[in-house]
Amino acid sequence: MDTVKYEITSAGDFVSIAYKGNLIINEASRVLSEDGNFLYVTQKVIGQDGELHANSSVYKKQVKL
């Protein structure tokens, strides 16, 4: 059975995990900086080649004028 789990950790991070059966095929975490100006996103996925691939992104809050 394929499922997706969403969780907000005790540290306030938002994590999502996708399963194909019992195998984790995708995991993503989103962490907001203490000052709220940056969002850090890390994604891990099992590719079609069977290898684990990961990437990270940083987003900066846009200043409204």
Side-chain angles (χ1 to χ4, degrees):
M1 179 172 170
D2 300 341
T3 58
V4 178
K5 175 184 171 185
Y6 299 98
E7 176 185 8
I8 297 176
T9 68
S10 60
D13 304 344
F14 178 63
V15 178
S16 59
I17 302 173
Y19 298 87
K20 186 162 189 75
N22 291 328
L23 178 68
I24 295 175
I25 58 170
N26 184 295
E27 182 176 346
S29 66
R30 299 145 195 96
V31 179
L32 190 61
S33 64
E34 281 190 32
D35 63 8
N37 288 321
F38 294 93
L39 176 66
Y40 303 94
V41 178
T42 302
Q43 297 172 300
K44 300 174 189 173
V45 62
I46 301 294
Q48 290 189 3
D49 57 3
E51 297 292 320
L52 177 66
H53 301 273
N55 66 49
S56 297
S57 302
V58 178
Y59 298 90
K60 185 175 192 281
K61 183 177 181 179
Q62 184 176 8
V63 177
K64 294 183 181 183
L65 299 176

